[in-house]
Structure formats: C-alpha cells, structure tokens
Amino acid sequence: MKVPIVSLLVWGDFACFTRPEMKVERVSYPIMTPAAARGVLEAILWEPQFYYVIQEISVVKHETANGKQYGKGQWLSFRRNELQSVVSISSAKSWMNGTKSVSYIHAGGGAEDATQRNTLALQSVAYLIQARIQLSALAKQPRDNPQKYYERFRKRARTGKCFHRPCFGCREFAVDFEWCEDPSLVPVENWPEEDLGWMIYDIFDPSHRQEGFAWFRDDLDLPDSYAKKQKQSQKQGYVGTMIEPTPVFFRAQIKDGRMNCDPGQIEILRS
C-alpha cells in the first residue's frame, strides 16, 4: 500500500524557531524546524495509533486574499517582557488540593519577576509541510490504517479545524493553514542552496515513537500484542512507551527552497 503524504500550507506574521544553544536570548533558525512542523500537524489531528514523519519543508510564496505577501521572511529584532520563574507541579497540586493559597506570577513591565529579553525572529513566513503517516504499535489493523488518518486529517485541514491553534515556535505567533491538494502548484521561494549546519530535528528521537503512547482508558481497544500488558498498564496508568526527551540534530541543507527532513535520508546526530 502506498503511504499517503499529507501536504499543508502554513503561514504567519511572526515566527521564532529558537536555537537551543542560545541560553538567554531567543534567536530563530532561518527556516522552520521539523519539530515545529510536527507540532502544527498534531494541533490539527493526533491519536496514539499513529505519528507523523516529516519528509520535507519548503519555503514558499503565498499571497492572502487581502494582498499580504508571505515567503522566506525578514529578520525582526525586538525586546519583550518574559518571566524568570515557572510554576512547579508540586505547587500546582497544593493549590488544587487547597492546602496552600494560590501564589500568582505577575508579568509585564515593572513586575518583580519580569525580565526583558531580546528576540531575533522572522516576519511574514510561509512553508509547505509534507509528511507521511506512520502507524504505531498501538494501532489495531485493519481498523487503523494510514489512509484512514490521511482522510481525517484532510477533512479537518480543509475545514480549518484544529484542537488548539498551532504556532510558529512561540504560542503568541499564531499559524494560519490550509490543505494543499497539489504541492507541485505551490511556488517555491528562490533559495538556491545553503548549508545551515546542525539544526535540532526534534526533542524526541523519531526512532522511539513507533511504540506509541496513550494514557490508559478502559475503552481503549488495543491490538492483541498489548492484551497481556493491560493489567500492568492499569497500574502504571499508560500503555506504550513513555519517551524521555532526547534532543536529536541533523545537518540541515536547503536546495531549491526545500529542506529534506526524511530520517531515512539525512544524517542524524544523537546526543
């Protein structure tokens, strides 16, 4: 069976695909990362029975109905107020149980916890994401198959549905998207060739995602291979494999406005 390829056109006013080597200031990669692309697709549709394998990200030209142009984008530098502290899980549990009163974190100019940080982001960007749908070990065939999830994704993308608004790196940089029926008709930006060096591929190793992961439910219809694991799963609360974040990198290269992201065709560096 030919594996269906989902094609999604995405664009936005701002984007920041933060480089992990920058400890304090936010500095974006010059192009969307595979991790960010996966996040956009999963915002539209995700189930534990399958996962996305990003194959290619293209920098494209796109013009909206109001005449606004999107493409490779321009660099934009600005400063904004961010927070230094985060809410711990133990504190949140104490607030929920009522054992401690809620302690708010105040943001904004002049707040005690706020700090100004510089951001080097991209402005007016547009990309074409192409990815294949891969079944995980939690899929029960023939009920679960790539074509089924492809059709569901296509229907949701065409009607603009998503479980949460996708973003370009930061939550405030919202993404607009539409289904692309014929990727060959989308004009690609003039970006002949460039070696971008090592880029983060994902915070999860793609080779670890095949086992799948889902919080356990009594109505979860699992394949026979997982039938013996159900009792243990009830005790631990989940089925599949809980993956620990393990950042992996790859040698990002642009050729004719396209970046190959297929794990089987690129060099991946594991830490």
Side-chain angles (χ1 to χ4, degrees):
M1 180 185 295
K2 185 179 178 180
V3 178
I5 304 297
V6 299
S7 300
L8 192 72
L9 179 64
V10 295
W11 67 95
D13 293 330
F14 302 101
C16 184
F17 310 111
T18 308
R19 306 180 73 104
E21 64 267 29
M22 303 301 177
K23 300 297 183 182
V24 178
E25 313 295 345
R26 294 183 184 272
V27 179
S28 177
Y29 285 109
I31 187 175
M32 186 184 213
T33 63
R38 173 182 61 81
V40 170
L41 299 182
E42 289 181 348
I44 298 172
L45 178 66
W46 177 84
E47 288 191 7
Q49 287 82 6
F50 77 96
Y51 59 98
Y52 298 101
V53 179
I54 308 299
Q55 291 199 293
E56 187 176 87
I57 298 174
S58 304
V59 184
V60 300
K61 299 177 182 178
H62 178 67
E63 182 176 352
T64 59
N66 60 5
K68 190 167 184 178
Q69 303 282 342
Y70 295 85
K72 185 178 180 180
Q74 304 84 36
W75 289 106
L76 176 69
S77 179
F78 55 89
R79 297 180 69 84
R80 58 181 175 170
N81 293 314
E82 297 191 11
L83 297 174
Q84 299 184 61
S85 61
V86 296
V87 177
S88 66
I89 296 177
S90 59
S91 296
K93 288 181 178 178
S94 299
W95 301 340
M96 293 170 65
N97 296 332
T99 56
K100 291 184 180 180
S101 59
V102 178
S103 178
Y104 297 100
I105 297 179
H106 298 282
E112 293 181 0
D113 195 61
T115 180
Q116 281 200 339
R117 289 194 173 100
N118 188 64
T119 298
L120 184 59
L122 295 167
Q123 185 176 19
S124 302
V125 294
Y127 306 102
L128 177 66
I129 303 171
Q130 292 181 276
R132 69 176 182 268
I133 292 175
Q134 196 84 24
L135 293 180
S136 73
L138 297 181
K140 189 172 184 179
Q141 300 188 59
R143 179 199 63 186
D144 300 322
N145 58 80
Q147 188 64 34
K148 165 188 171 181
Y149 294 115
Y150 169 84
E151 294 296 340
R152 287 184 58 188
F153 183 94
R154 179 173 177 266
K155 183 178 180 180
R156 290 181 61 83
R158 291 184 68 180
T159 54
K161 291 183 177 180
C162 55
F163 291 103
H164 62 84
R165 184 70 180 268
C167 63
F168 278 150
C170 298
R171 179 59 60 191
E172 59 267 36
F173 299 157
V175 169
D176 292 311
F177 62 88
E178 67 178 34
W179 173 256
C180 183
E181 201 68 51
D182 190 352
S184 64
L185 299 179
V186 180
V188 181
E189 276 281 12
N190 182 25
W191 197 343
E193 191 168 353
E194 184 176 350
D195 188 343
L196 301 179
W198 291 104
M199 174 186 288
I200 190 166
Y201 186 89
D202 207 326
I203 59 172
F204 299 105
D205 193 322
S207 63
H208 295 166
R209 305 188 69 207
Q210 199 278 331
E211 283 294 314
F213 175 83
W215 294 109
F216 188 83
R217 303 192 314 269
D218 291 334
D219 61 340
L220 189 62
D221 189 10
L222 297 170
D224 294 337
S225 59
Y226 275 82
K228 295 181 180 179
K229 301 180 182 180
Q230 288 198 21
K231 290 185 178 180
Q232 178 63 28
S233 298
Q234 284 178 307
K235 294 179 182 178
Q236 64 190 16
Y238 61 87
V239 292
T241 302
M242 183 178 288
I243 305 175
E244 294 292 332
T246 308
V248 293
F249 296 80
F250 77 112
R251 195 62 180 259
Q253 294 180 319
I254 299 290
K255 190 172 183 180
D256 299 327
R258 297 178 173 88
M259 182 172 68
N260 183 11
C261 305
D262 193 330
Q265 301 177 11
I266 59 177
E267 181 183 0
I268 290 184
L269 176 66
R270 292 174 169 86
S271 57

